[in-house]
Amino acid sequence: MSHKARAVLLFVIVAAFSVLIFGGAKISEHKPPIPARMVSPTGEVLLTAEDVALGQRQYLSRGGQQTGSIWGHGAYLAPDWSADALHRTALATAGLAAGRAPADAARFTQADLEALSPAERGRVEALVRAELRQNRYDPTTDTVTLSPGQAAALPALVAYYTKLFHEGSDAMSIPPSFVEDPGDARAMTAFFFWTAWAAGTNRPGETFSYTANFPYDPLAGNVPLPSALVWSIVSVVLLILGTAAAIFFYVRGRDKDAHAPAALAPLAEPKPTPSQRAVLPFFVVAIALFLLQSVLGSVTGHFAVEGNRLFGVEVGKILPYAATRGWHLQLAVYWIATCWLATGLFIGPAVSGHEPKGQKALVWTLLVALVVVVVGSLVGTYLGVQGKLSGPNGWLVGHQGYEYIELGRVWQIALIGGMLLWLALVYRAVKPALAKEQDKGGLTHLLLYASVSIPVFYSVGLMYSPGTHIAVADYWRWWVVHLWVENFFEVFATVALAFILSRIGAVNEKNAQRATYFSIGLYLGSGIIGTFHHLYFTGSPLFITALGATFSALEIVPLTLLGFEVYENLKLARSKGAEPWRWPLYFFVAVAFWNAVGAGVLGFLINPPIVLYYAQGLNTTPIHSHGALFGVYGFLAIALMLFSMRNVVRKDAWSDRLLKIAFWALNGGLAGMIVFSLLPAGIYQLAIGVEKGLWYARSPEVTGSAFIHAATWARLVPDLVFLAGGASLLAFVIRTIAKDAALRKAERTSRQDELRRAA
C-alpha cells in the first residue's frame, strides 16, 4: 500500500484518539460533584459522600445495570432509578408548594398534582422548577444544602426503596429479599438520590443540569435543550453529505479494481495443520454458548410478562432477572469473541504455511483457559446478584455491575491474559510471512496490527473500579463496548475476511488491501470520536453532544455502502464455482444486510441527540442492539467460523442442508423478533415517554401494560424459530467435525491396512 494511504490512516487514528482523550479529561473535570455532605435547610447532615459511594458499590455488586438503570444506562425492566427518584422528589416539592406539611408532602402523588386546577397546578409546577433547579452546592465547604422539598423527599425515598428491595416486585422482576439489610438499602437510596440531584440541578452558571436535562421530566424542569435539536439537524446533514462522498469514492475505487477481476478458486481437499484442526473445538464451544445465550434471551424477555415467574413457576429467587440478563449479555461477547479468536488461530498458519513448534498444545491450553474464565465469571456474577459477594472486595470475583463488562476483575484480567496468549500464537504463526512481506501496510501486517488491538482495547476496562465516579467509569466502559466491540473487532474482522476472500479467489489481493484501508479509515475515523454518542447524558459537558452527534452520524456513512456489498456478495454466491462457498458467503450477505439495517437504519433511529433524549433507557435501544450485535457481529462470527471450517474439514464431511435451515431460521427469527415485538414495544413506550417522561415510561403501569405484554408474547414464535436456527447450526458444527474425524480415522485405517499388506 502507498505511503500516502498509510500516513493518512495513521493521522486519522492519532487525531481521533487525541479528541477522545481530550473529551475524557473534560468529562472528568466537569463531572457532577459528590459532596462531602448533604444537609437539610437547618444544617442537619442527611447524607455523606461515603453513603453515596457505599450505595454505588452495593448497587453495582447486586447486578447494577442489570437491575433498572442510572441516567438511562442499564436494564429496561424496573425503573430508571435516577428518573424515579427525581420525579418522587419533585412530587414532594409540589406537595409543599400546594400547602401540605412536610410529612404529608412526601405522600403527594401524580394523581394529586393532576387533580389541581390548571391555575394552581401552573403555580405549583413553577415553584417546583424554581426550587429544584437551583444549585446549592458550596465548593468551599464541599456541602449541598438541600431544598425543603428534597429534604422532605429523602426519608420517604429511603422507606420506599427499603420496602421495595425487601418485599420485591413482580412488576419490576425484583425478587423478595433482594436487599435484606436496611443499611444497604439506605445507601443505595443515597446513590439514587445523588444521581437524581445531578440530573435536576443546574450546572454552575448554566441553565441546564449536569446531565443536560436528562431524563425528561417537565415537573422537575427537565426539558430538551435547543442544542440537542441543532446538533441532530447537523448530524442528518452530515449523514447525507458523507454518504454522497463515500459513494463517490467507493464507486471510483471499484472502477479502478475492475481491470483485475477475481474468480473463485476450486476448493482443494483441505490439508490443515495440527493447530488448525485444534480450532474446531473452539467452534463447538462458541455455538453451544450461542444457543445458551439465545435461550437466556427468551427467558429474560419473558420476565416482562410474568415478573419473577416463568410460565407460572416461581423462579425469581433461584434465577433472577438480573442474572439471566447479565448472562445473556456476557455470553454474546464470549461466543462471538471465541469465533473470531479461533479464526485468527486458523489464519495464522494459513498466511505463512508455517506451523510453530508446540502450537497445537498452546491452542488447546487457550481453549481450556477460555472455558475456565467463562464458567468462573458466570458463577461469580450469579453469586453477586444473589448477594453472596457484596462485600468491599466481592467485585474481584463477583459482579462489577456494568453492562457487557459484568465479570469480576479477576476473570477480566484472566481473559486479558488469554487474549495475550492468543496474540502470541497468532504472531508465532505469521512471523515468517511478516518477514517476507516487504509492504509494512500489507494484509499480513494489518492482520498483526488488528490482532494487537484486541487485548489492548479490552484492557481499558481496567481503568475503573466500582468506586470510580460513574461519569468517568461510563466513559471508560464505552471504550470497551464501543471501541473494542464495534470498532477494533470490526477492523480485525475486515482484515480477516479480506485475507480469506482473497485466498478463495473471491477478490484480488491488491483490491482487497485497498478496500480494507478504505473501510478501516471510515470505521475508525468516525467511530473513535463517535464513542461520545453514548455519553450525551452521563454528566458530560455539553460539547460532548456536538462531537458525539456529528461523528456518530458519520459512523453510518460506511454502512450506507453495504447495499453494494449485498449485491456483490449475492452475485458471487450464485456464480459458477461458488458451491463450496455458497452458504459461508450467504452468511456474509446477512452481515452486510444487518449492518445496513440493524446498525445503520435502526442505529440512526435513536442516534440524534433529540431522539436519544427521549429514547434512552426505553425499549427502543434493544431494537438496534439486537439488529446490530447479533445481526452484524453474530453473523460475522458465524461467517468467519464457516470459512475457517471449510478449509479444515474434509470435503465429504460438509453438508449444506443444516446450514440452509440455520441461515433462514436465524434471519427470520431475528427479523420477526424486531418487527413483531421489539419495534412495537419500543415505539409505544417512546410515545408515552415523550408525553409524560422517562419516570412514567419505565413505571410498572407501562412496562406491565397489556400492550407490552402482548408485544412480549409476540416474540414467542420468532424466538422459537431463532432457537431452531441456533440448534441447526450447532448440529451442523458437531456433525461436520464428527464426520471429518470419522473420515480421517478411516483414511488412517486404510493406510495401515495397505502397509500391512505390503509388508
Side-chain angles (χ1 to χ4, degrees):
M1 203 63 188
S2 70
H3 294 293
K4 182 180 178 181
R6 293 203 296 268
V8 169
L9 181 59
L10 183 61
F11 172 79
V12 167
I13 294 173
V14 171
F17 270 114
S18 298
V19 174
L20 183 63
I21 292 170
F22 172 79
K26 290 301 178 182
I27 289 173
S28 180
E29 180 183 345
H30 296 284
K31 62 185 180 292
I34 302 177
R37 292 166 300 280
M38 286 187 168
V39 303
S40 70
T42 60
E44 178 188 358
V45 176
L46 301 178
L47 292 177
T48 66
E50 289 74 20
D51 294 329
V52 175
L54 175 60
Q56 178 176 324
R57 290 196 299 270
Q58 286 293 331
Y59 171 69
L60 293 174
S61 72
R62 297 304 302 273
Q65 292 180 333
Q66 308 305 343
T67 305
S69 58
I70 296 293
W71 293 340
H73 289 295
Y76 311 107
L77 198 57
D80 180 274
W81 304 110
S82 308
D84 187 66
L86 177 62
H87 193 72
R88 291 177 184 277
T89 300
L91 286 174
T93 307
L96 288 179
R100 298 196 180 189
D104 189 36
R107 294 190 291 271
F108 194 76
T109 66
Q110 184 69 21
D112 293 330
L113 178 67
E114 294 173 358
L116 299 176
S117 67
E120 176 64 4
R121 181 175 178 179
R123 182 189 72 83
V124 166
E125 290 180 344
L127 290 173
V128 171
R129 289 192 294 272
E131 180 175 325
L132 294 185
R133 305 304 296 185
Q134 184 179 348
N135 193 327
R136 298 176 176 83
Y137 173 64
D138 183 354
T140 60
T141 61
D142 200 13
T143 300
V144 166
T145 301
L146 299 180
S147 72
Q150 291 169 331
L154 183 56
L157 287 172
V158 171
Y160 170 72
Y161 290 131
T162 300
K163 181 179 180 182
L164 173 64
F165 292 135
H166 173 69
E167 296 182 356
S169 168
D170 281 344
M172 301 178 188
S173 286
I174 297 175
S177 303
F178 185 67
V179 178
E180 282 282 23
D181 187 343
D184 291 343
R186 181 184 181 278
M188 289 172 66
T189 303
F191 175 58
F192 299 159
F193 184 79
W194 170 79
T195 65
W197 172 83
T201 300
N202 285 344
R203 281 185 178 273
E206 302 288 357
T207 57
F208 53 86
S209 75
Y210 288 99
T211 58
N213 284 0
F214 181 87
Y216 176 54
D217 189 339
L219 177 59
N222 271 12
V223 294
L225 298 177
S227 60
L229 179 59
V230 169
W231 289 111
S232 296
I233 295 171
V234 170
S235 71
V236 174
V237 172
L238 284 175
L239 172 60
I240 297 171
L241 178 63
T243 300
I247 291 175
F248 171 78
F249 287 108
Y250 177 87
V251 173
R252 189 177 73 167
R254 190 176 62 170
D255 288 344
K256 287 182 179 179
D257 297 343
H259 69 278
L264 283 169
L267 176 66
E269 190 67 66
K271 296 180 180 179
T273 67
S275 71
Q276 287 179 318
R277 280 190 50 75
V279 305
L280 293 177
F282 280 76
F283 296 132
V284 176
V285 171
I287 303 306
L289 293 178
F290 163 54
L291 193 58
L292 176 60
Q293 187 231 347
S294 303
V295 171
L296 287 169
S298 298
V299 171
T300 301
H302 191 75
F303 274 106
V305 176
E306 291 190 85
N308 293 313
R309 294 176 178 81
L310 184 64
F311 297 104
V313 179
E314 182 71 43
V315 297
K317 289 286 288 183
I318 300 172
L319 196 65
Y321 171 85
T324 64
R325 187 176 189 270
W327 284 344
H328 178 62
L329 297 183
Q330 280 181 273
L331 287 170
V333 175
Y334 286 152
W335 80 263
I336 291 172
T338 299
C339 282
W340 290 4
L341 295 177
T343 299
L345 295 173
F346 158 76
I347 288 179
V351 167
S352 61
H354 170 65
E355 174 83 350
K357 185 178 180 181
Q359 186 85 343
K360 177 182 176 181
L362 289 172
V363 168
W364 274 102
T365 300
L366 177 60
L367 178 61
V368 172
L370 289 176
V371 170
V372 170
V373 169
V374 170
V375 174
S377 64
L378 294 181
V379 171
T381 54
Y382 177 79
L383 294 176
V385 169
Q386 294 288 49
K388 306 299 184 184
L389 297 171
S390 58
N393 297 315
W395 65 283
L396 294 174
V397 293
H399 206 306
Q400 290 199 58
Y402 289 101
E403 282 184 301
Y404 296 102
I405 317 177
E406 294 86 354
L407 73 171
R409 180 55 54 88
V410 169
W411 309 115
Q412 191 178 14
I413 294 173
L415 185 56
I416 293 170
M419 291 178 187
L420 291 173
L421 173 58
W422 169 80
L423 177 61
L425 294 177
V426 172
Y427 176 72
R428 293 175 84 229
V430 303
K431 187 177 178 180
L434 290 171
K436 294 178 182 177
E437 188 175 65
Q438 295 181 349
D439 181 4
K440 301 300 182 183
L443 279 180
T444 306
H445 279 81
L446 283 178
L447 178 66
L448 177 64
Y449 305 149
S451 299
V452 170
S453 72
I454 301 302
V456 167
F457 284 95
Y458 186 78
S459 299
V460 176
L462 303 177
M463 297 296 290
Y464 62 88
S465 69
T468 302
H469 192 291
I470 192 169
V472 176
D474 239 17
Y475 167 76
W476 290 116
R477 179 174 75 93
W478 285 111
W479 269 62
V480 178
V481 180
H482 182 90
L483 276 181
W484 184 63
V485 175
E486 297 183 36
N487 278 264
F488 284 95
F489 250 129
E490 183 87 40
V491 168
F492 171 76
T494 300
V495 177
L497 272 172
F499 173 79
I500 291 173
L501 292 175
S502 64
R503 283 295 297 265
I504 68 173
V507 294
N508 176 277
E509 184 171 342
K510 183 178 179 181
N511 298 341
Q513 187 175 341
R514 183 185 295 114
T516 299
Y517 268 84
F518 183 70
S519 298
I520 291 174
L522 287 176
Y523 281 125
L524 296 186
S526 57
I528 292 172
I529 302 176
T531 305
F532 285 138
H533 83 260
H534 299 286
L535 304 172
Y536 294 154
F537 313 118
T538 57
S540 306
L542 209 55
F543 77 89
I544 295 297
T545 301
L547 289 172
T550 51
F551 280 88
S552 60
L554 294 176
E555 283 187 87
I556 311 299
V557 169
L559 305 182
T560 62
L561 302 176
L562 291 168
F564 293 106
E565 296 301 315
V566 171
Y567 172 75
E568 293 294 341
N569 285 300
L570 272 175
K571 187 169 68 173
L572 184 64
R574 294 168 178 169
S575 65
K576 184 179 180 181
E579 287 79 9
W581 311 105
R582 178 153 294 146
W583 286 104
L585 284 169
Y586 271 132
F587 275 94
F588 188 52
V589 169
V591 173
F593 173 81
W594 285 108
N595 226 338
V597 175
V601 176
L602 299 179
F604 197 72
L605 175 69
I606 60 172
N607 190 70
I610 193 63
V611 178
L612 197 59
Y613 178 79
Y614 294 105
Q616 185 159 290
L618 301 181
N619 277 298
T620 47
T621 303
I623 304 170
H624 162 60
S625 60
H626 282 78
L629 185 57
F630 177 74
V632 179
Y633 300 104
F635 275 125
L636 188 53
I638 296 170
L640 291 172
M641 176 188 76
L642 295 178
F643 276 119
S644 300
M645 289 183 65
R646 202 66 171 106
N647 286 279
V648 173
V649 302
R650 308 289 289 178
K651 289 197 289 186
D652 289 343
W654 193 271
S655 173
D656 285 340
R657 183 174 58 86
L658 287 171
L659 281 182
K660 183 177 182 180
I661 296 172
F663 177 84
W664 290 114
L666 290 173
N667 278 283
L670 179 60
M673 187 191 313
I674 291 173
V675 172
F676 298 116
S677 180
L678 297 177
L679 191 61
I683 293 174
Y684 171 78
Q685 201 176 20
L686 176 61
I688 292 174
V690 170
E691 179 184 0
K692 294 190 174 182
L694 180 62
W695 69 272
Y696 186 71
R698 285 282 297 276
S699 68
E701 289 79 8
V702 176
T703 58
S705 65
F707 186 90
I708 295 294
H709 282 185
T712 304
W713 277 114
R715 280 188 57 167
L716 184 60
V717 172
D719 276 10
L720 290 174
V721 171
F722 189 85
L723 289 171
S728 297
L729 187 62
L730 180 61
F732 165 82
V733 172
I734 294 174
R735 176 193 177 279
T736 301
I737 293 174
K739 192 168 183 180
D740 177 69
L743 288 170
R744 291 181 184 278
K745 181 179 179 181
E747 289 174 0
R748 288 194 301 271
T749 302
S750 176
R751 285 196 298 268
Q752 290 170 356
D753 290 343
E754 289 178 2
L755 289 173
R756 281 195 294 268
R757 285 194 296 269

